[in-house]
């Protein structure tokens, strides 16, 4: 959505200070501000009063000190790919663009870790690692910055095997609200030395501090990778197959569910002829014999649940063909209804509750005027219902809102969460009390202790 | 060490309130107080003024409210197996014994999780799980309570494969310093819904809240387990073998190092004839072919580093024979010097620095009058130098202190931590500033926000 253009309200003294520090890397131009006022979500844009491009942790610290002295809000900006409005500067102020902090500072193959500046993207890191035999597994849809991924506790299709940013951040360099710089933790693989500040700053969405450097875990690239797809009579049968797979400890590297409507969308978009029925996409990794063994067990489990059409391959080209439908889903959904605005929901539930939540929401969405598709990181109990809304039809928005509300509350009742990987941002704040109860008050205590002036990303994550 | 006996200083009004609540489950007897004033560490005992045995979260909340109203310290007590004085009531007050809270509340096989009261021990949970094909992997040496393990962010030999309590706690029920009860998180496998309170309360050692219930992750018991032992010419050769194993992504389930002196100790204690040289103990798990494949690769790597004497077995009896030396180490070390007091250090470093830290400290310990042994969770870069000190020789204590100080500082300089798994308690507080720098101030901000009166385990974790 476009932001309403408005003149920058920045305090002239602050602007002068920022210019003295950053020169031409401060901007109040409309185009810069407009670019930094919107994300990939349905949330209304809002322009920052200025955009600052920082090159180092020291510069970030100096910017924060200046802003703090002028009680001016600061919102960190990375790839701009937030899906819940996390980067929209609701109260104006400074959008702190960290994309120029794109240096890979060190790769330590022996320790299986790497330290990068916050603006390095995941694809950039993996391209850099290409010759080492190592990789960084966390893979949200977008080529997000690693700082942004840490700030939202991102994950993706690899999480079922490798975990999320929670498990894959070793430590962070963070600028606090008074401009002090801390490192959250040592580089030791494990530690019992005090409070887990790394965990605290992963997922805080820029409300407690600005992440400027990230040390992440790396993994050896598996010797062999293989893919399979498989059609199921029902969503339940697919989910049961996944539950059994995980209970048996099969170290599956990816397992994604597409419902019949998502399959329809990719068939149309990519001219495929997949059976229009719930489908699982698998990836296996390991040694040759390990992969074959895994696949044979999973095939057996799937067939026990009535699956058909088991197709598999270890060949890279064939693999990407099998996964094509999954890869195309974003564009396929968009193509369903040109001009529509997409809304990707993001609940995550204990896997025992997954089929029930999906069944309920599909019952409801089957009666709507707008198209919906369902794609799930089903090994983690996380799925995205995509709704294609006419941006000019308030009745559709209201209905979509209703569907999302009901689905989220259902998920929370069954032990789940309002967001598996997109973050709270603006859109999920209204569910925080219901999900957390009085634990939300503890989050407020921490926010007030670490950012007493409330300059970091105000109006986000914690409802007032 | 025995505590100096002293009369209980408890406020009579508080005692009356506690008795009204708990009846005979409040005690001020010397024997109860003495039992709750000491742990397994070298730290001097200190008696609490009263011992309260709670049966439920509600009782814990009521006890906390009473103590808060009387500004009386509270220290949680589980199995009493702390190695750093975490449970010693430095400022007196109430020792809150949670061992009666020993109910396993639910096991959800489909979701691979279980919820237990804080006083359930790890062996109790695994015995309960026996028929489910599932297990809980975190295994510190002692049969600790799961609440205590969460509070100290414990780990053990399985951490190299399954992670520590940080990775294996799903959520916690916690009583706050004002008596309110929170649940830190949903049961979803992943979530981006706000600050990671689970992470914050795991490892806080009872200084931010009292953990009363814990939901932990469970895993399927592997089909096949196999063990191997292998002798190395040097510690470096052993460590290099482990580095290569982990880099290749071999999902090894355990790998433990015993140095030559530890081998000498177990040879003497268990009448074994192992070659007196650095030795690795491996455990492999998975399918039959997977285990054989893993073992073959590791054997190859070990031989490339000059290893000899590779012995392995998939038979359970033979396996436990191979691991006997590792299992016996605690008693073997004790037997080295009857009457001595053991001091188990606990640094953890990036694995690339492990050989160097071990080499330095072995150089120093080789010149001491007291015996030392080295046992390492080497896949995680964590090791325990055990020192057998004459309790009546201040010169030995001073020397041991010096050795530990130097080793910890060396570890911190190389990117490591003062404690890999024992916790800070009393003994590691002096290293916290050096390890964390200004991040320590953030820990203080959090402590002050969550426990403004300082009633929870005062004098621990954070140096004043």
């Amino acid at each position: 959505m476009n932001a309403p253009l408005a003149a920058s309200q920045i305090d002239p003294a602050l602007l002068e200070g920022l210019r003295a520090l950053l020169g031409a890397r401060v901007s109040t131009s409309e185009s810069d501000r407009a670019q930094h006022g919107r994300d990939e979500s349905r949330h209304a844009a809002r322009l920052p009063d200025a955009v600052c491009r920082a090159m180092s942790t020291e510069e970030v610290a100096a910017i924060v000190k200046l802003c703090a002295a002028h009680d001016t809000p600061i919102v960190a900006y990375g790839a701009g790919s937030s899906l819940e409005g996390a980067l929209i500067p609701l109260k104006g102020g400074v959008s702190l663009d960290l994309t120029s902090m794109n240096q890979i500072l060190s790769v330590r193959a022996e320790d299986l870790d790497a330290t990068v500046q916050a603006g390095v993207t995941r694809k950039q890191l993996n391209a850099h690692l290409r010759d080492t035999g190592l990789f960084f597994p966390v893979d949200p849809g977008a080529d997000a910055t690693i700082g942004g991924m840490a700030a939202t506790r991102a994950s993706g299709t690899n999480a079922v095997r490798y975990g999320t940013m929670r498990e894959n951040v070793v430590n962070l360099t963070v600028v606090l609200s008074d401009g002090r710089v801390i490192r959250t933790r040592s580089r030791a693989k494990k530690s019992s030395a005090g409070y887990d500040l790394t965990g605290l700053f992963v997922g805080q969405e820029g409300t407690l501090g600005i992440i400027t450097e990230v040390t992440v875990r790396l993994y050896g690239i598996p010797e062999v990778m293989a893919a399979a797809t498989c059609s199921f009579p029902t969503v339940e049968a697919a989910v049961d197959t996944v539950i059994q797979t995980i209970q048996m400890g099969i170290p599956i590297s990816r397992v994604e569910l597409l419902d019949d409507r998502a399959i329809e969308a990719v068939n149309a978009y990519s001219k495929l002829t997949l059976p229009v029925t719930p489908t699982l996409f698998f990836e296996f990794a390991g040694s040759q014999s390990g992969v074959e063994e895994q696949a044979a067990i999973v095939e057996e489990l799937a067939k026990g649940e009535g699956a058909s059409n088991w197709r598999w391959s270890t060949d890279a080209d064939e693999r990407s063909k099998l996964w094509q439908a999954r890869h195309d889903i974003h564009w396929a959904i968009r193509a369903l209804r040109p001009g529509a605005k997409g809304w990707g929901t993001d609940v995550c539930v204990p896997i025992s509750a997954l089929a029930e939540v999906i069944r309920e929401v599909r019952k409801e969405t089957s009666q709507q005027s707008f198209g919906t598709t369902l794609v799930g990181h089903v090994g983690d109990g996380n799925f995205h219902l995509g709704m294609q809304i006419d941006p000019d039809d308030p009745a559709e928005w209201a209905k979509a809102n209703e569907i999302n509300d009901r689905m989220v509350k259902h998920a929370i009742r069954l032990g789940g969460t309002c967001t598996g990987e997109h973050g709270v941002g603006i859109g999920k704040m209204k569910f925080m009390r219901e999900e957390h109860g009085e634990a939300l008050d503890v989050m407020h205590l921490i926010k007030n202790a670490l950012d007493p002036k409330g300059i970091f990303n105000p109006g986000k994550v914690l409802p007032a």
Side-chain angles (χ1 to χ4, degrees), chain A residues 172-225:
Chain A
L172 299 166
T173 300
V174 176
V175 176
L176 302 176
S177 67
D178 60 3
R180 283 190 299 172
V181 178
I182 63 164
R183 200 198 50 191
T184 54
R185 189 183 175 283
S186 77
R187 272 205 312 115
K189 195 164 156 213
K190 62 185 201 180
S191 172
S192 289
Y195 307 159
D196 181 4
L197 299 184
T198 306
L200 186 63
F201 284 98
V202 169
Q204 44 91 29
E205 302 185 29
T207 62
L208 299 177
I210 307 289
I211 296 169
T212 59
E213 291 178 16
V214 188
T215 301
V216 294
R217 286 193 201 287
L218 306 177
Y219 297 83
I221 295 173
E223 195 186 326
V224 175
M225 286 194 276

Side-chain angles (χ1 to χ4, degrees), chain A residues 121-137:
Chain A
T121 72
R122 64 182 185 86
K123 288 186 183 171
Q124 182 193 347
L125 175 59
N126 278 322
H128 182 89
L129 293 171
R130 197 164 286 151
D131 299 330
T132 63
L134 303 175
F135 80 115
F136 171 64

Side-chain angles (χ1 to χ4, degrees), chain A residues 368-370 389-390 392-402:
Chain A
Q368 301 314 318
S369 53
F370 46 86
I389 314 294
D390 176 350
D392 301 319
D393 185 342
E396 281 199 2
W397 281 112
K399 192 69 209 174
N401 233 318
E402 224 178 80

Side-chain angles (χ1 to χ4, degrees), chain A residues 210-328:
Chain A
I210 307 289
I211 296 169
T212 59
E213 291 178 16
V214 188
T215 301
V216 294
R217 286 193 201 287
L218 306 177
Y219 297 83
I221 295 173
E223 195 186 326
V224 175
M225 286 194 276
T229 64
C230 187
S231 306
F232 287 83
T234 60
V235 165
E236 282 83 352
V239 169
D240 281 345
T241 301
V242 176
I243 290 176
Q244 292 170 56
T245 301
I246 288 173
Q247 275 196 348
M248 289 186 66
I250 314 279
I252 198 157
S253 51
R254 286 176 163 141
V255 54
E256 296 284 307
L257 171 71
L258 271 69
D259 78 347
D260 49 349
R261 292 176 223 159
I263 294 290
E264 231 167 19
V266 288
N267 274 350
Y269 179 79
S270 307
K271 312 205 183 345
L272 299 173
T273 55
L274 295 167
V276 179
T277 178
T279 303
L280 286 180
F281 291 72
F282 295 99
E283 191 177 83
F284 305 96
S287 66
Q288 184 66 45
S289 65
V291 162
E292 283 168 15
E293 196 173 53
Q294 289 173 40
I297 296 168
V298 174
E299 184 179 358
E300 207 54 45
L301 294 175
K303 286 185 173 158
E305 294 293 335
S308 57
N309 258 39
W310 176 271
R311 291 179 57 199
W312 96 300
S313 173
T314 55
D315 176 76
D317 284 349
E318 177 67 15
R319 250 199 303 138
S320 73
K321 252 187 234 163
L322 285 184
W323 270 75
Q324 190 183 337
R326 176 65 186 87
H327 292 313
D328 287 344

